[in-house]
Amino acid sequence: MSDKFYKKYLLVLLSLILAFNQVDRLALGLVLQDIKVDLALTDTQLGLLSGIAFALFYSIMGIPIARWADRGNRVTIVSLTTMLWSGAVALCGAAGNFFQLLLIRIGVAVGEAGCVPPAHSFIADYFTRAERPRAVALYMLGGPLSAVVGYFIAGWLNEFYGWRATFIVLGLPGVMLAVLARFTLREPRTSRRAHSPEVSTPERIQPAPTLRDVMFTLWTDATFRHLLFSFSVLYFFAYGMAKWQPAFFVRSFGLQTGELGTWFSIIYGISGLLGTYWGGELASRYASNKEHVQLKAMAVACCAFGALLAGAYLSSSRYAAFGLIGLATLGGTMINGPLFATIQTLVPQQMRAVSVALILLFANLIGMGLGPLAAGALSDALRPMFGEESLRYVLLLLCPGQLWVGWHLWRASLTVRQSLQASALTSQSWGKQGESSIMDKSWKKHAV
């Protein structure tokens, strides 16, 4: 297959894997109310189940897997971890109580940690700086695609067959994707070594920086720090809202999961697909190699995102609420491609997978871990005062957090050009170390 066709195939397959990597989390939010009734759980337990318990293992395991991805075979990593989380998702349907489901979700988290960092590292290897916003956006179409499957299919499966059968069905496609990835994807590092057994350039063999070197290099960069903070804040408020939105519509508007899943698949599927695609396309076409412009546009989008969501939670009409959430999703997802592409361009080549994993470590522990838990605990606290409407006011309280996200993105735009220059110097420095390492090995070989 030609290189041009293979690059398109790579994006399609990685996007499908990403879709099913996220679909179980969306489905879990949709069926939380049914799990609550079936297993007699509190909102705090549901927040723990969908939040910190999953995020803790997802985030921590992402670091060693990303370290492996920065130096090892990413095809092996993606295929093995996809097989693991797919099997664990199907096993969720067999859980008989809270603690069994908790342990199975931990298994899902460990497997799903091996999806995003290796994929971004793959894309950065195959696409240039100017191409990356578009390429990453196309990859991240898997997110809104997961909404179509996770909300529409899961909603009706749950309504007709229950939440247990839903998880079993959702786990099976990932197994097939894991096999496809194992036998059709190519690791560029392996290809280079196969073509050049006597590797002679530092680009082909470079010593991997230690985790301490990586963390020091990234933390001392002002732009990366602001991006890290923006992700952490964004995930806290976004996950806090997203996990409880289905329960909000069930409690406040009396919707069933089938109808609700259909609405959410349209809102998050269509709006997410359009927003993600347009964001990458606009960044590559009108702000190519201008990350400072991209970051400022992202900051504005986040502020608008929060205002629209506040209007949705204040609305007394389900249709107005759905419409405002759709507009918010369209604007909010436009940042996906440019934001991750900026990170991959910003950090040195030897640190790409770990940089994403470190961001996800903090963002998921703070956001995915504490966001749903905080929202659930607040809902329980406000229930004596507001009854079934307690979730409406909790979600409304989370909306201003998007202004905080926008502030960090704007600050990052002010320093990104200097950071890109520093990153290029760091990459050259590691390349020279790689060259020295090769010369040392060659000297020892001839000395013997």
Side-chain angles (χ1 to χ4, degrees):
M1 111 182 24
S2 67
D3 287 343
K4 185 176 181 179
F5 178 81
Y6 175 77
K7 288 164 70 173
K8 292 181 180 178
Y9 172 77
L10 173 73
L11 289 177
V12 170
L13 183 56
L14 291 179
S15 183
L16 288 173
I17 291 174
L18 177 64
F20 283 95
N21 178 270
Q22 297 182 358
V23 75
D24 69 286
R25 286 173 253 172
L26 299 177
L28 179 63
L30 192 64
V31 302
L32 276 181
Q33 189 68 19
D34 295 272
I35 295 175
K36 175 186 174 78
V37 174
D38 189 10
L39 301 182
L41 305 181
T42 66
D43 280 354
T44 302
Q45 285 178 308
L46 292 176
L48 179 65
L49 185 67
S50 61
I52 191 64
F54 180 92
L56 182 65
F57 288 87
Y58 179 87
S59 304
I60 292 176
M61 288 305 299
I63 299 298
I65 293 175
R67 290 281 290 165
W68 182 15
D70 273 336
R71 66 180 90 181
N73 191 313
R74 289 163 289 188
V75 174
T76 300
I77 297 169
V78 170
S79 57
L80 284 178
T81 55
T82 301
M83 184 71 71
L84 173 60
W85 57 254
S86 299
V89 167
L91 193 60
C92 287
N97 55 53
F98 171 74
F99 292 103
Q100 289 179 5
L101 186 56
L102 187 66
L103 289 175
I104 295 171
R105 292 298 301 170
I106 289 172
V108 175
V110 173
E112 291 189 355
C115 174
V116 176
H120 280 287
S121 178
F122 250 138
I123 293 170
D125 273 5
Y126 278 103
F127 295 89
T128 65
R129 175 184 172 186
E131 295 173 329
R132 280 174 200 155
R134 181 186 290 112
V136 174
L138 290 174
Y139 162 64
M140 297 195 73
L141 289 176
L145 180 61
S146 71
V148 176
V149 179
Y151 285 133
F152 182 79
I153 296 179
W156 289 108
L157 278 173
N158 178 62
E159 188 160 323
F160 287 117
Y161 302 105
W163 66 271
R164 298 180 184 277
T166 298
F167 279 114
I168 293 173
V169 173
L170 293 180
L172 297 179
V175 176
M176 295 182 285
L177 290 172
V179 174
L180 197 61
R182 178 65 183 85
F183 291 104
T184 61
L185 294 185
R186 300 195 302 258
E187 171 56 69
R189 297 168 186 159
T190 304
S191 301
R192 285 196 293 264
R193 290 178 191 133
H195 286 89
S196 302
E198 294 294 329
V199 182
S200 59
T201 68
E203 181 182 359
R204 293 193 178 110
I205 295 181
Q206 295 178 358
T210 65
L211 184 59
R212 180 180 178 182
D213 291 331
V214 173
M215 296 184 71
F216 177 80
T217 301
L218 297 179
W219 183 251
T220 53
D221 184 88
T223 304
F224 186 85
R225 286 201 307 272
H226 279 295
L227 293 179
L228 174 63
F229 293 144
S230 69
F231 265 97
S232 300
V233 176
L234 174 64
Y235 273 44
F236 179 85
F237 292 103
Y239 268 105
M241 288 186 280
K243 287 295 182 182
W244 290 102
Q245 269 185 1
F248 160 67
F249 279 97
V250 170
R251 296 177 190 181
S252 296
F253 296 104
L255 297 182
Q256 298 297 313
T257 59
E259 183 182 0
L260 181 59
T262 302
W263 275 106
F264 274 15
S265 67
I266 295 172
I267 291 171
Y268 288 107
I270 296 177
S271 296
L273 285 168
L274 291 175
T276 302
Y277 176 77
W278 284 344
E281 187 67 24
L282 290 172
S284 289
R285 182 172 296 185
Y286 299 108
S288 178
N289 297 337
K290 297 179 181 177
E291 284 78 8
H292 62 289
V293 175
Q294 297 174 24
L295 286 167
K296 288 178 179 177
M298 292 182 231
V300 174
C302 283
C303 295
F305 175 73
L308 289 168
L309 285 177
Y313 300 137
L314 286 171
S315 176
S316 59
S317 166
R318 71 179 69 174
Y319 303 109
F322 282 136
L324 289 169
I325 291 174
L327 290 174
T329 302
L330 180 67
T333 54
M334 290 182 74
I335 75 172
N336 288 342
L339 187 53
F340 276 100
T342 297
I343 294 168
Q344 291 299 293
T345 301
L346 179 67
V347 303
Q349 180 183 356
Q350 304 87 345
M351 305 177 184
R352 283 172 175 162
V354 173
S355 69
V356 174
L358 283 171
I359 282 180
L360 294 181
L361 170 67
F362 290 98
N364 285 319
L365 284 177
I366 295 171
M368 189 194 303
L370 300 179
L373 179 59
L378 278 173
S379 177
D380 283 338
L382 295 177
R383 183 174 292 275
M385 188 182 304
F386 298 106
E388 291 295 308
E389 287 290 286
S390 62
L391 267 179
R392 180 190 297 272
Y393 296 100
V394 170
L395 296 176
L396 184 61
L397 287 172
L398 297 178
C399 292
Q402 301 304 317
L403 300 176
W404 190 359
V405 180
W407 181 81
H408 280 295
L409 291 173
W410 191 273
R411 289 295 303 274
S413 72
L414 304 179
T415 58
V416 67
R417 282 179 286 191
Q418 296 92 323
S419 296
L420 289 171
Q421 294 174 358
S423 175
L425 293 175
T426 302
S427 293
Q428 292 175 10
S429 175
W430 278 105
K432 290 178 180 178
Q433 291 186 37
E435 187 175 10
S436 299
S437 175
I438 295 167
M439 291 177 65
D440 289 343
K441 290 178 182 178
S442 176
W443 180 86
K444 290 177 182 178
K445 176 181 177 181
H446 287 92
V448 173

mmCIF file of all heavy atoms in Angstrom, residues 289-319:
data_model
loop_
_atom_site.group_PDB
_atom_site.id
_atom_site.type_symbol
_atom_site.label_atom_id
_atom_site.label_comp_id
_atom_site.label_asym_id
_atom_site.label_seq_id
_atom_site.Cartn_x
_atom_site.Cartn_y
_atom_site.Cartn_z
ATOM 1 N N ASN A 289 1.196 26.624 11.334
ATOM 2 C CA ASN A 289 2.453 27.011 11.999
ATOM 3 C C ASN A 289 2.304 28.289 12.837
ATOM 4 O O ASN A 289 3.285 28.959 13.123
ATOM 5 C CB ASN A 289 3.582 27.198 10.982
ATOM 6 C CG ASN A 289 3.911 25.919 10.240
ATOM 7 O OD1 ASN A 289 3.647 24.820 10.724
ATOM 8 N ND2 ASN A 289 4.474 26.044 9.048
ATOM 9 N N LYS A 290 1.073 28.623 13.224
ATOM 10 C CA LYS A 290 0.812 29.800 14.068
ATOM 11 C C LYS A 290 0.063 29.352 15.322
ATOM 12 O O LYS A 290 -1.116 29.647 15.508
ATOM 13 C CB LYS A 290 0.001 30.847 13.307
ATOM 14 C CG LYS A 290 0.715 31.428 12.089
ATOM 15 C CD LYS A 290 -0.164 32.432 11.368
ATOM 16 C CE LYS A 290 0.535 32.990 10.133
ATOM 17 N NZ LYS A 290 -0.348 33.924 9.385
ATOM 18 N N GLU A 291 0.774 28.619 16.159
ATOM 19 C CA GLU A 291 0.139 28.059 17.350
ATOM 20 C C GLU A 291 -0.390 29.144 18.286
ATOM 21 O O GLU A 291 -1.371 28.920 19.004
ATOM 22 C CB GLU A 291 1.124 27.157 18.096
ATOM 23 C CG GLU A 291 1.357 25.797 17.457
ATOM 24 C CD GLU A 291 2.302 25.829 16.264
ATOM 25 O OE1 GLU A 291 2.906 26.915 16.024
ATOM 26 O OE2 GLU A 291 2.447 24.809 15.569
ATOM 27 N N HIS A 292 0.237 30.317 18.303
ATOM 28 C CA HIS A 292 -0.229 31.391 19.188
ATOM 29 C C HIS A 292 -1.622 31.870 18.776
ATOM 30 O O HIS A 292 -2.461 32.197 19.629
ATOM 31 C CB HIS A 292 0.759 32.566 19.186
ATOM 32 C CG HIS A 292 0.940 33.228 17.858
ATOM 33 N ND1 HIS A 292 1.599 32.621 16.798
ATOM 34 C CD2 HIS A 292 0.542 34.458 17.416
ATOM 35 C CE1 HIS A 292 1.597 33.449 15.769
ATOM 36 N NE2 HIS A 292 0.960 34.565 16.116
ATOM 37 N N VAL A 293 -1.886 31.898 17.476
ATOM 38 C CA VAL A 293 -3.210 32.283 16.994
ATOM 39 C C VAL A 293 -4.226 31.187 17.334
ATOM 40 O O VAL A 293 -5.355 31.466 17.768
ATOM 41 C CB VAL A 293 -3.181 32.537 15.482
ATOM 42 C CG1 VAL A 293 -4.588 32.832 14.949
ATOM 43 C CG2 VAL A 293 -2.239 33.684 15.148
ATOM 44 N N GLN A 294 -3.840 29.942 17.149
ATOM 45 C CA GLN A 294 -4.725 28.819 17.451
ATOM 46 C C GLN A 294 -5.134 28.810 18.920
ATOM 47 O O GLN A 294 -6.304 28.597 19.263
ATOM 48 C CB GLN A 294 -4.036 27.510 17.081
ATOM 49 C CG GLN A 294 -3.720 27.350 15.604
ATOM 50 C CD GLN A 294 -2.915 26.091 15.315
ATOM 51 O OE1 GLN A 294 -2.956 25.136 16.073
ATOM 52 N NE2 GLN A 294 -2.167 26.103 14.221
ATOM 53 N N LEU A 295 -4.171 29.062 19.812
ATOM 54 C CA LEU A 295 -4.463 29.028 21.246
ATOM 55 C C LEU A 295 -5.416 30.152 21.656
ATOM 56 O O LEU A 295 -6.289 29.954 22.514
ATOM 57 C CB LEU A 295 -3.163 29.112 22.044
ATOM 58 C CG LEU A 295 -2.310 27.828 22.046
ATOM 59 C CD1 LEU A 295 -0.913 28.108 22.580
ATOM 60 C CD2 LEU A 295 -2.988 26.745 22.868
ATOM 61 N N LYS A 296 -5.266 31.327 21.068
ATOM 62 C CA LYS A 296 -6.181 32.430 21.382
ATOM 63 C C LYS A 296 -7.605 32.109 20.920
ATOM 64 O O LYS A 296 -8.583 32.401 21.627
ATOM 65 C CB LYS A 296 -5.685 33.724 20.736
ATOM 66 C CG LYS A 296 -4.443 34.292 21.411
ATOM 67 C CD LYS A 296 -3.941 35.564 20.719
ATOM 68 C CE LYS A 296 -2.709 36.107 21.452
ATOM 69 N NZ LYS A 296 -2.138 37.301 20.797
ATOM 70 N N ALA A 297 -7.728 31.495 19.759
ATOM 71 C CA ALA A 297 -9.053 31.104 19.282
ATOM 72 C C ALA A 297 -9.668 30.048 20.196
ATOM 73 O O ALA A 297 -10.881 30.071 20.465
ATOM 74 C CB ALA A 297 -8.954 30.569 17.848
ATOM 75 N N MET A 298 -8.840 29.126 20.695
ATOM 76 C CA MET A 298 -9.335 28.105 21.621
ATOM 77 C C MET A 298 -9.836 28.726 22.918
ATOM 78 O O MET A 298 -10.831 28.287 23.491
ATOM 79 C CB MET A 298 -8.225 27.097 21.943
ATOM 80 C CG MET A 298 -7.803 26.207 20.794
ATOM 81 S SD MET A 298 -6.529 25.044 21.348
ATOM 82 C CE MET A 298 -5.278 25.299 20.100
ATOM 83 N N ALA A 299 -9.139 29.742 23.400
ATOM 84 C CA ALA A 299 -9.541 30.412 24.638
ATOM 85 C C ALA A 299 -10.931 31.026 24.500
ATOM 86 O O ALA A 299 -11.777 30.896 25.393
ATOM 87 C CB ALA A 299 -8.510 31.485 25.001
ATOM 88 N N VAL A 300 -11.178 31.677 23.372
ATOM 89 C CA VAL A 300 -12.491 32.284 23.126
ATOM 90 C C VAL A 300 -13.569 31.205 23.040
ATOM 91 O O VAL A 300 -14.672 31.353 23.583
ATOM 92 C CB VAL A 300 -12.452 33.121 21.835
ATOM 93 C CG1 VAL A 300 -13.852 33.635 21.485
ATOM 94 C CG2 VAL A 300 -11.483 34.290 21.979
ATOM 95 N N ALA A 301 -13.257 30.092 22.375
ATOM 96 C CA ALA A 301 -14.220 29.004 22.215
ATOM 97 C C ALA A 301 -14.629 28.424 23.568
ATOM 98 O O ALA A 301 -15.801 28.109 23.793
ATOM 99 C CB ALA A 301 -13.632 27.909 21.328
ATOM 100 N N CYS A 302 -13.682 28.278 24.482
ATOM 101 C CA CYS A 302 -13.984 27.723 25.801
ATOM 102 C C CYS A 302 -14.917 28.629 26.592
ATOM 103 O O CYS A 302 -15.831 28.159 27.280
ATOM 104 C CB CYS A 302 -12.698 27.480 26.589
ATOM 105 S SG CYS A 302 -11.810 26.001 26.079
ATOM 106 N N CYS A 303 -14.714 29.933 26.515
ATOM 107 C CA CYS A 303 -15.580 30.876 27.225
ATOM 108 C C CYS A 303 -17.011 30.803 26.684
ATOM 109 O O CYS A 303 -17.986 30.802 27.451
ATOM 110 C CB CYS A 303 -15.036 32.290 27.104
ATOM 111 S SG CYS A 303 -13.438 32.520 27.923
ATOM 112 N N ALA A 304 -17.149 30.729 25.366
ATOM 113 C CA ALA A 304 -18.471 30.611 24.755
ATOM 114 C C ALA A 304 -19.126 29.286 25.132
ATOM 115 O O ALA A 304 -20.346 29.211 25.360
ATOM 116 C CB ALA A 304 -18.349 30.727 23.232
ATOM 117 N N PHE A 305 -18.322 28.233 25.229
ATOM 118 C CA PHE A 305 -18.782 26.895 25.605
ATOM 119 C C PHE A 305 -19.480 26.946 26.968
ATOM 120 O O PHE A 305 -20.574 26.405 27.161
ATOM 121 C CB PHE A 305 -17.566 25.970 25.629
ATOM 122 C CG PHE A 305 -17.829 24.570 26.100
ATOM 123 C CD1 PHE A 305 -18.510 23.670 25.305
ATOM 124 C CD2 PHE A 305 -17.362 24.150 27.330
ATOM 125 C CE1 PHE A 305 -18.738 22.375 25.742
ATOM 126 C CE2 PHE A 305 -17.574 22.852 27.764
ATOM 127 C CZ PHE A 305 -18.269 21.964 26.965
ATOM 128 N N GLY A 306 -18.848 27.608 27.948
ATOM 129 C CA GLY A 306 -19.421 27.690 29.285
ATOM 130 C C GLY A 306 -20.720 28.476 29.320
ATOM 131 O O GLY A 306 -21.675 28.101 30.021
ATOM 132 N N ALA A 307 -20.788 29.584 28.578
ATOM 133 C CA ALA A 307 -21.994 30.412 28.571
ATOM 134 C C ALA A 307 -23.189 29.658 27.981
ATOM 135 O O ALA A 307 -24.321 29.732 28.498
ATOM 136 C CB ALA A 307 -21.735 31.685 27.770
ATOM 137 N N LEU A 308 -22.945 28.918 26.905
ATOM 138 C CA LEU A 308 -24.031 28.161 26.278
ATOM 139 C C LEU A 308 -24.537 27.046 27.185
ATOM 140 O O LEU A 308 -25.751 26.787 27.263
ATOM 141 C CB LEU A 308 -23.554 27.589 24.943
ATOM 142 C CG LEU A 308 -23.342 28.606 23.816
ATOM 143 C CD1 LEU A 308 -22.583 27.972 22.645
ATOM 144 C CD2 LEU A 308 -24.679 29.158 23.339
ATOM 145 N N LEU A 309 -23.628 26.381 27.891
ATOM 146 C CA LEU A 309 -24.045 25.304 28.793
ATOM 147 C C LEU A 309 -24.862 25.851 29.963
ATOM 148 O O LEU A 309 -25.823 25.215 30.409
ATOM 149 C CB LEU A 309 -22.815 24.558 29.321
ATOM 150 C CG LEU A 309 -22.139 23.603 28.329
ATOM 151 C CD1 LEU A 309 -20.894 22.993 28.944
ATOM 152 C CD2 LEU A 309 -23.107 22.502 27.897
ATOM 153 N N ALA A 310 -24.497 27.019 30.466
ATOM 154 C CA ALA A 310 -25.265 27.629 31.549
ATOM 155 C C ALA A 310 -26.707 27.879 31.094
ATOM 156 O O ALA A 310 -27.666 27.625 31.848
ATOM 157 C CB ALA A 310 -24.609 28.932 31.993
ATOM 158 N N GLY A 311 -26.868 28.348 29.866
ATOM 159 C CA GLY A 311 -28.204 28.553 29.333
ATOM 160 C C GLY A 311 -28.992 27.257 29.235
ATOM 161 O O GLY A 311 -30.208 27.226 29.484
ATOM 162 N N ALA A 312 -28.297 26.170 28.882
ATOM 163 C CA ALA A 312 -28.962 24.870 28.769
ATOM 164 C C ALA A 312 -29.497 24.396 30.119
ATOM 165 O O ALA A 312 -30.631 23.905 30.217
ATOM 166 C CB ALA A 312 -27.985 23.844 28.196
ATOM 167 N N TYR A 313 -28.714 24.547 31.170
ATOM 168 C CA TYR A 313 -29.127 24.054 32.488
ATOM 169 C C TYR A 313 -30.181 24.948 33.134
ATOM 170 O O TYR A 313 -30.914 24.501 34.018
ATOM 171 C CB TYR A 313 -27.907 23.915 33.399
ATOM 172 C CG TYR A 313 -26.879 22.942 32.856
ATOM 173 C CD1 TYR A 313 -25.524 23.246 32.889
ATOM 174 C CD2 TYR A 313 -27.270 21.736 32.286
ATOM 175 C CE1 TYR A 313 -24.579 22.371 32.365
ATOM 176 C CE2 TYR A 313 -26.342 20.860 31.760
ATOM 177 C CZ TYR A 313 -24.991 21.181 31.802
ATOM 178 O OH TYR A 313 -24.068 20.314 31.284
ATOM 179 N N LEU A 314 -30.276 26.194 32.689
ATOM 180 C CA LEU A 314 -31.314 27.102 33.196
ATOM 181 C C LEU A 314 -32.640 26.927 32.464
ATOM 182 O O LEU A 314 -33.680 27.381 32.932
ATOM 183 C CB LEU A 314 -30.853 28.561 33.061
ATOM 184 C CG LEU A 314 -29.778 29.037 34.051
ATOM 185 C CD1 LEU A 314 -29.268 30.417 33.654
ATOM 186 C CD2 LEU A 314 -30.334 29.064 35.471
ATOM 187 N N SER A 315 -32.595 26.274 31.317
ATOM 188 C CA SER A 315 -33.788 26.160 30.478
ATOM 189 C C SER A 315 -34.820 25.212 31.090
ATOM 190 O O SER A 315 -34.492 24.201 31.692
ATOM 191 C CB SER A 315 -33.389 25.661 29.084
ATOM 192 O OG SER A 315 -34.538 25.459 28.297
ATOM 193 N N SER A 316 -36.093 25.551 30.903
ATOM 194 C CA SER A 316 -37.190 24.690 31.353
ATOM 195 C C SER A 316 -37.709 23.812 30.215
ATOM 196 O O SER A 316 -38.601 22.991 30.420
ATOM 197 C CB SER A 316 -38.333 25.546 31.901
ATOM 198 O OG SER A 316 -38.808 26.450 30.903
ATOM 199 N N SER A 317 -37.135 23.995 29.015
ATOM 200 C CA SER A 317 -37.533 23.201 27.851
ATOM 201 C C SER A 317 -36.420 22.234 27.477
ATOM 202 O O SER A 317 -35.270 22.646 27.328
ATOM 203 C CB SER A 317 -37.837 24.124 26.661
ATOM 204 O OG SER A 317 -37.905 23.387 25.453
ATOM 205 N N ARG A 318 -36.788 20.995 27.331
ATOM 206 C CA ARG A 318 -35.778 20.000 26.950
ATOM 207 C C ARG A 318 -35.184 20.306 25.583
ATOM 208 O O ARG A 318 -34.008 20.063 25.348
ATOM 209 C CB ARG A 318 -36.381 18.591 26.959
ATOM 210 C CG ARG A 318 -37.362 18.323 25.833
ATOM 211 C CD ARG A 318 -37.917 16.924 25.836
ATOM 212 N NE ARG A 318 -38.809 16.702 26.964
ATOM 213 C CZ ARG A 318 -39.520 15.585 27.138
ATOM 214 N NH1 ARG A 318 -39.400 14.594 26.259
ATOM 215 N NH2 ARG A 318 -40.328 15.462 28.165
ATOM 216 N N TYR A 319 -35.994 20.816 24.671
ATOM 217 C CA TYR A 319 -35.523 21.074 23.313
ATOM 218 C C TYR A 319 -34.547 22.255 23.281
ATOM 219 O O TYR A 319 -33.539 22.218 22.570
ATOM 220 C CB TYR A 319 -36.713 21.329 22.384
ATOM 221 C CG TYR A 319 -37.700 20.193 22.384
ATOM 222 C CD1 TYR A 319 -38.959 20.345 22.981
ATOM 223 C CD2 TYR A 319 -37.369 18.963 21.830
ATOM 224 C CE1 TYR A 319 -39.868 19.291 23.003
ATOM 225 C CE2 TYR A 319 -38.277 17.900 21.849
ATOM 226 C CZ TYR A 319 -39.512 18.068 22.446
ATOM 227 O OH TYR A 319 -40.397 17.016 22.484
#
